Amino acid sequence: MQADYHLLKKYVASVFTAMGCSEEDALLASDVLVSADARGIDSHGVARLAGYVRLFDNGRLNTKPQIKVLHETPSTATLDGDRGLGLIVAPRAMEIACEKAAIAGTGWVAVQNSNHFGIAGYHAMKALPSQMIGWAMTHAAPLVTPTFSKEKLLGTNPIAVAIPANEEPAFVADFASTAVAYGKLEILQRKGLDTPDGWVQDLNGDPCNDAFAIKNGGALLPLGGDREHGSHKGYGLGAIVDILSGVLSGANFGPWVPPFATAGFMQAGETVGNGTGHFLGAMRVDAFRPATDFTKDMDKWIRRFRSAKAVEGKQVLIPGDPERELEAIRRVEGIPLLNPVVEDLKSLASRFNIDFKLD
C-alpha cells in the first residue's frame, strides 16, 4: 500500500488522541513517527505504532505526562518524563538543551522515566534552525551482546549528530551502535527472509542468519559483527550511549532497561533506575567561531567528500543524503507500507473507531 504522507500523519495523530494524548502532543508524536517512514527508516515509523499502544495497554505509558526538571545548572538539566511518550519527552528535552545553549553556548539534557523516542535524527535536527549542532542518543531494551558475550546486556543504542551547513544540506549522521536495528529484523521476518552475515548470533553465541534469532534465545551483534571486524568498537559506542542515557540520568541501564513492545516480551522486570533514558545536547556554533565562517567551511567539507573518486557505479554520500532525498520523494509520492503493517493499522482503526483512509 502507498499511503499519503499527510493522511498517514493525520491517522497516527488520531490514534494517539484516542489513547488520551492532547491534540498538541498527538500531532508532535505523529510528526516524529511518520518522519521515520518519510526518511526511509521504516523500522522506526508507523510499524511501531501498535507497540506504543501495547505500552499503553500494559500500563507503562502515561499519555498525559507532567514533564519536570529534577536538576539543572545553566548548561545542563535532568528531566523526569513521567512515563510519557518518548516522542513527546525527547523534543521537550531538546528544546531545553537549545534554550540553555542560547545562553551558555552549550546545553545538555539527560532524561529518565521516558519511553521509546523514535528516530534519534529527528531530535538532533531540531537544533539546526538555531545554527546549533544537535546531539541525540537513547538506550533500549537489552537485545545486544557485548563482544564475546552470550548474555544480552545492551540495546541498539543509537547516536545522531546534526551539523548545519550554509548552501549545502545539513550533515545528519543517525546510526545504531549495532550492526542493525531490531526493526530491520522485524521487516525481514514479515518478508520471510534471512539476515545477512554479521547481524545476529544464536543462543550458543555462534553466528547465524535467523531473522527470529532473538525470539529463539539469540542476540543482535554490536556494530562490526565480530572482534576481527571491530565489534569491540560497536560495543564501546553502545556502552557510552547506555551510560549517558541511563547511569547519568538516573534511568535504568544495561540489562535492566525496560523493553519496548518487541521481540515477544513486554513486561519490565527488575529495575535499578527510573524508566528509559535519553541524552540530548545542543552546541551553539558561534560559541566556537563565527557561524557564517563555520557553515561556509562545512559547505567545503561536504563538497570535497561528495566529489571523492568513487568505485565504479558508486557515489560517495554525506550522512543524511539518502534520507533527505527519499523524504523529498515520499512526501509527494507517498509512503510504502508492508501488508502486515497495514493490517496492524486497520486493527487499531477498528479498535479506536477511526476512519482508515490513507490514500
Side-chain angles (χ1 to χ4, degrees), residues 64-225:
K64 298 184 185 299
Q66 299 297 312
I67 302 168
K68 61 183 178 182
V69 176
L70 298 175
H71 177 80
E72 69 178 326
T73 73
S75 63
T76 67
T78 300
L79 296 189
D80 183 332
D82 195 24
R83 294 185 300 110
L85 280 164
L87 307 171
I88 302 301
V89 178
R92 175 58 182 146
M94 180 52 84
E95 180 182 331
I96 293 173
C98 289
E99 290 171 354
K100 289 184 175 293
I103 297 171
T106 184
W108 301 95
V109 179
V111 180
Q112 61 169 260
N113 201 19
S114 183
N115 280 293
H116 191 276
F117 78 178
I119 57 171
Y122 180 96
H123 310 298
M125 288 190 291
K126 286 296 183 184
L128 294 175
S130 302
Q131 290 286 279
M132 296 180 185
I133 297 171
W135 294 74
M137 56 191 80
T138 186
H139 59 192
L143 303 178
V144 184
T145 54
T147 301
F148 302 135
S149 174
K150 290 184 181 181
E151 286 190 86
K152 296 186 284 288
L153 298 178
L154 290 170
T156 52
N157 295 10
I159 302 169
V161 182
I163 304 175
N166 184 31
E167 295 176 351
E168 294 292 336
F171 172 108
V172 182
D174 181 2
F175 56 93
S177 55
T178 50
V180 66
Y182 179 76
K184 296 290 179 63
L185 293 188
E186 293 178 311
I187 291 173
L188 292 180
Q189 291 167 12
R190 295 183 185 111
K191 293 181 176 180
L193 300 175
D194 289 335
T195 73
D197 293 340
W199 281 20
V200 292
Q201 68 182 32
D202 64 21
L203 58 84
N204 296 313
D206 297 319
C208 69
N209 302 96
D210 180 12
F212 292 91
I214 293 175
K215 293 182 179 180
N216 294 329
L220 283 170
L221 292 169
L223 186 64

Side-chain angles (χ1 to χ4, degrees), residues 222-286:
L223 186 64
D226 55 38
R227 179 64 173 78
E228 288 69 26
H229 293 91
S231 68
H232 58 293
K233 298 177 183 179
Y235 164 34
L237 285 171
I240 291 168
V241 173
D242 188 48
I243 292 167
L244 293 178
S245 298
V247 182
L248 186 62
S249 72
N252 290 291
F253 48 82
W256 298 284
V257 177
F260 186 59
T262 54
F265 58 95
M266 187 69 223
Q267 295 298 331
E270 179 187 356
T271 62
V272 293
N274 200 4
T276 296
H278 321 306
F279 188 72
L280 302 103
M283 301 163 57
R284 205 176 74 217
V285 169
D286 66 4

